[in-house]
Amino acid sequence: MVTPIDPTATGFLLAENRTMPMHVGGLQLFAKPEDAGRGYVRELYEHMRSYDSLDEIAPLFLKHPHRSARTAGQLVWEIDELFDIDHHVRHSALPKPGRIRELLDLVSRLHGTRLAWERPLWEAHLIEGLRDGRVAMYTKTHHALVDGVSAMRLLASVLSTDPDKRDMPAPWASKPGAKAERERRDAERRGSDLATQALRGALGITAEAAGMPGALVRTLRRGIRNETSSLSLYAPRTIFNQPITGARRFAADDWALDRLRGISKATGTTMNDVVLAMCSGALRTYLLELDALPDTGMVAMVPVGLNAKQSHLASTDGGNAVGSVMVKLATELADPEERLKTIHASMRDGKQALASMTPAQILAMSAIGQAPAILTPMLKMSGLVRPPYNVVISNVPGPRTTHYFNGAKLLGTYPLSIPINGMALNITCTSYDDKMCFGLTGCRRTVPHLQRLLGHLDDEVKALEKVAGTYL
Amino acid sequence: MVTPIDPTATGFLLAENRTMPMHVGGLQLFAKPEDAGRGYVRELYEHMRSYDSLDEIAPLFLKHPHRSARTAGQLVWEIDELFDIDHHVRHSALPKPGRIRELLDLVSRLHGTRLAWERPLWEAHLIEGLRDGRVAMYTKTHHALVDGVSAMRLLASVLSTDPDKRDMPAPWASKPGAKAERERRDAERRGSDLATQALRGALGITAEAAGMPGALVRTLRRGIRNETSSLSLYAPRTIFNQPITGARRFAADDWALDRLRGISKATGTTMNDVVLAMCSGALRTYLLELDALPDTGMVAMVPVGLNAKQSHLASTDGGNAVGSVMVKLATELADPEERLKTIHASMRDGKQALASMTPAQILAMSAIGQAPAILTPMLKMSGLVRPPYNVVISNVPGPRTTHYFNGAKLLGTYPLSIPINGMALNITCTSYDDKMCFGLTGCRRTVPHLQRLLGHLDDEVKALEKVAGTYL
């Protein structure tokens, strides 16, 4: 069976090369249920791989890109008739001593390996061997199949808030029950969770962006060059804005939402401002240690959800869309309080400016954020004197209650994203339960000792708490 | 740097597809040295990955195939300027309970995944987590770089007979010391080990075979069709002689050379006859269990070393070459003694016939054995009524003394080979120290429950020992 590939997916497939694998990932940490026997992880794995016939797997997880004379050289989706679940669902273990460090090493390595086009574009690795007994799952899905947010949603769609619920299907199952459950949850979300819904709608936007007419591209280029738009800033050159290699480093950690909320309330800023201030302070310390901090402040590209009225845009999900705000990170300032204030003001200005932009401008700005890999060659960004921004920082709201997969409690969920040439570091956060989970994905060579950013993020939370304390 | 790819290597690259990865593998089992600390495996891994600049790696391990407009569409070798040792040298662990079963599962999975052409065509996995404390190493090298025997040799080249020798280089190191050591060992082998030398020379032959003129192809096809040659037999159809998938199953075990030698001496047969009889009995039992034993006896293709006078062939290593003998496995006979006798007689006849063949005929026969994947399409074997043989069984002599890698004692070394369409099972043995090590590589779908063959091989050794006991 052969089906056409939409322009966005084609864009992600064609943009991919050895140094830029185009898959998103998710790392989930679970606690075993209390009644787990010795064979629990193996049984979970056997359950995950028990979907081995074509009709038990959802079509999304069966198709692979194919190009041949028969398809006149066009890329098409083809069902993998030789689908082999054991290639996609794997049971792994960590070397001793089984710390989070060994887990992140393994996940970094897995995330740095391209998915072979000759098979469906996904993998799921169930990982045991953490010395504290936790179990990890790393999933990898090509951006041509889903965007990062949808991938995290898909993983979450099979979770339950009921710890006693077992026999839950794997995310790739096509079982009617699973589908019904997913649809019910989709409906729930449509009612309750506009911001993430907005991000999901972004896929619709990028489809238009990939086929964006020349006039729009010109608008966008003017915007980036700061000729017209107050949103665009000159960003300094940093080590992050270089060509990258295919090697990846992933680092992840989480912080209590209560701590971030405390800072936000005491300082009159938003949670998102606090997240950006954490990143700003951590990046400043990191670059100072490397003697690579630019004199002028760094700029982050931050995707934000827009409501229908703001966006004036039709999208696949009924009027919600994503805009991008260029935020001053104030990394040139030593005082965490000043940084937070500057970020708060810059974010507020950016959102206001976004509200006054024309739909075409918003579309163009959104496109930079959602499909940089596609747009970079189109815009010939490399020909610009400076990068339009230094780093992408996304903050995606997630579920605020505890979830379980077949009795295993989900402790945290950390997104892995796609570094591209000129944008070697990506920071994506997602809230889950009572935590803010950070996932940092970088090129291992371009961003040395990436894991140090975790310590710096932690220091920054403390510094911001001190600031907030004086505000109280 | 761009260098041409020789015709044989090009053949292996072009023959490769999703269901036929063209890499050979080796599984080595080590005992940790007695003075090993807790961090021993990690230190060994750090040592293995410590070669991270281009000039520390041997050129063989730096080149990858490349085709572009610049090379006029031709495949060429190109040095990977972005070489990343962490992509090639990996530290893995086994899930619990860490039995040999879990090891073979992991190695099967690793062997079933294609090497990406965009990087140098090799991987080495250091594997911990065996519950008995042993350490495993699985290496994977594309057949376009080395043939299976050379790959095993390359691995062995960095081993020492001295348990106290440490700081030994990795096989991929280009250090002058390593090179000197390897050359010394090569020289040693040239003097002492003609049979393996002969196999290594086979690479030279296949290079000629790939460019084999039409007359030769015609000779070969006549041979297969049993029109001219006493060597060629009609082989029955079996489950092994079907199209294959990309899924792999690997099984491995070893038996004491003393036991095989006892059988051989008591029955007046060769060690190789005993190995073939083991395989024959095991295949018979395996197929009987599946109710798939053919009525007529199966035929094995067995590569044999030829001396210069026999072969009349020039080869890269000064007159040694490899011929192929088609051996009756006598799987239709229930009596192990009768099977061993038939195999012994068939092997003797085959070698005699080989001695009377013309060089062109030997070359043609050799080519079937060494480059079946290349020759299958050329000969349109699929158009023949029956397969020319049912299974490939190779027996490659190895070192007869205990070897060490940085103090770790090598306990066994098991070759992984390449199943191809129509030849879903490959059995390769190699002697090491006081053992005969068997590696069975098959398509997981075409050859179900491959691991059962290990039990059957063990039963067959016992059965042959009973036969030998009556002879004594």
Side-chain angles (χ1 to χ4, degrees), chain A residues 96 114 118 128 444-445, chain B residues 83 96 114 118 128:
Chain A
K96 293 257 172 354
R114 263 175 85 176
E118 61 195 6
E128 65 176 58
R444 193 173 62 227
R445 296 198 174 183
Chain B
F83 179 81
K96 294 258 174 349
R114 263 174 84 176
E118 61 196 7
E128 66 177 57

Side-chain angles (χ1 to χ4, degrees), chain A residues 209-426:
Chain A
M212 206 159 38
L216 214 53
V217 172
R218 282 191 295 277
T219 304
L220 179 50
R221 296 188 66 174
R222 271 203 304 277
I224 289 168
R225 289 192 162 140
N226 207 13
E227 290 167 10
T228 57
S229 163
S230 64
L231 287 188
S232 299
L233 306 159
Y234 279 114
R237 283 192 181 283
T238 71
I239 59 165
F240 305 122
N241 311 113
Q242 299 179 59
I244 60 169
T245 75
R248 293 290 169 270
R249 178 72 77 200
F250 177 63
D253 207 345
D254 52 67
W255 286 269
L257 279 173
D258 275 348
R259 295 179 69 187
L260 275 53
R261 200 177 288 118
I263 298 167
S264 146
K265 282 194 177 158
T267 56
T269 57
T270 68
M271 285 281 274
N272 197 49
D273 293 340
V274 176
V275 163
L276 293 173
M278 282 172 69
C279 297
S280 163
L283 288 170
R284 177 183 155 85
T285 310
Y286 171 84
L287 290 173
L288 275 175
E289 282 184 359
L290 293 173
D291 199 18
L293 183 72
D295 295 334
T296 54
M298 289 168 64
V299 176
M301 196 285 284
V302 181
V304 294
L306 303 176
N307 61 34
K309 196 178 155 201
Q310 268 184 316
S311 66
H312 309 283
L313 293 172
S315 93
T316 47
D317 275 289
N320 293 303
V322 171
S324 305
V325 177
M326 300 296 168
V327 179
K328 289 183 187 172
L329 286 180
T331 44
E332 77 282 17
L333 304 176
D335 179 10
E337 184 173 356
E338 289 301 312
R339 279 201 302 272
L340 179 58
K341 275 185 186 169
T342 310
I343 286 167
H344 176 68
S346 175
M347 190 76 200
R348 190 193 51 213
D349 292 352
K351 280 194 174 167
Q352 283 172 357
L354 203 59
S356 67
M357 280 172 88
T358 65
Q361 283 172 322
I362 291 178
L363 177 57
M365 292 306 296
S366 305
I368 308 184
Q370 292 304 307
I374 297 179
L375 282 166
T376 306
M378 198 151 91
L379 296 171
K380 294 192 178 55
M381 275 190 190
S382 52
L384 297 174
V385 178
R386 298 184 185 195
Y389 50 91
N390 299 107
V391 61
V392 179
I393 305 178
S394 311
N395 179 4
V396 183
R400 292 292 175 94
T401 50
T402 310
H403 280 65
Y404 298 84
F405 182 58
N406 285 304
K409 181 179 176 181
L410 179 63
L411 301 169
T413 178
Y414 310 87
L416 287 93
S417 192
I418 304 177
I420 59 166
N421 277 330
M423 214 55 64
L425 175 68
N426 179 296

Side-chain angles (χ1 to χ4, degrees), chain B residues 224-248:
Chain B
I224 289 168
R225 288 194 162 137
N226 207 11
E227 292 166 8
T228 57
S229 164
S230 64
L231 285 188
S232 299
L233 306 159
Y234 279 115
R237 282 192 182 283
T238 72
I239 59 166
F240 305 122
N241 310 114
Q242 299 179 58
I244 60 168
T245 75
R248 293 289 169 271

Side-chain angles (χ1 to χ4, degrees), chain A residues 18 42 80 82-84 86 90-91 93-96 102 109 114 118-119 128 247 444-445, chain B residues 18-19 42 80 82-84 86 90-91 93-96 102 109 114 118-119 128 247 444-445:
Chain A
R18 176 252 169 94
R42 178 158 298 277
D80 179 10
L82 290 169
F83 180 80
D84 176 19
D86 287 340
R90 303 182 182 183
H91 186 180
L94 299 178
K96 293 257 172 354
E102 277 74 39
R109 187 178 93 194
R114 263 175 85 176
E118 61 195 6
R119 302 197 186 244
E128 65 176 58
R444 193 173 62 227
R445 296 198 174 183
Chain B
R18 176 253 169 89
T19 60
R42 178 156 299 276
D80 179 11
L82 290 169
F83 179 81
D84 177 17
D86 287 340
R90 303 183 182 183
H91 186 179
L94 298 178
K96 294 258 174 349
E102 277 73 38
R109 188 177 93 195
R114 263 174 84 176
E118 61 196 7
R119 300 192 185 251
E128 66 177 57
R444 194 173 61 227
R445 296 198 173 183

Side-chain angles (χ1 to χ4, degrees), chain B residues 179-224:
Chain B
K179 205 179 155 208
E181 171 75 358
R182 215 175 290 151
E183 281 169 358
R184 192 186 58 74
R185 289 171 169 280
D186 279 351
E188 259 178 30
R189 266 201 306 278
R190 261 194 293 279
S192 64
D193 195 359
L194 280 178
T196 55
Q197 193 63 18
L199 277 169
R200 292 166 79 234
L203 260 193
I205 286 201
T206 52
E208 296 169 56
M212 208 159 38
L216 215 52
V217 172
R218 283 190 297 276
T219 304
L220 180 50
R221 296 188 67 174
R222 269 203 307 277
I224 289 168

Side-chain angles (χ1 to χ4, degrees), chain A residues 59-75:
Chain A
L60 185 71
F61 296 96
L62 282 177
K63 63 187 187 180
H64 73 109
H66 177 71
R67 176 158 36 192
S68 73
R70 191 163 51 84
T71 62
Q74 283 294 103
L75 268 180

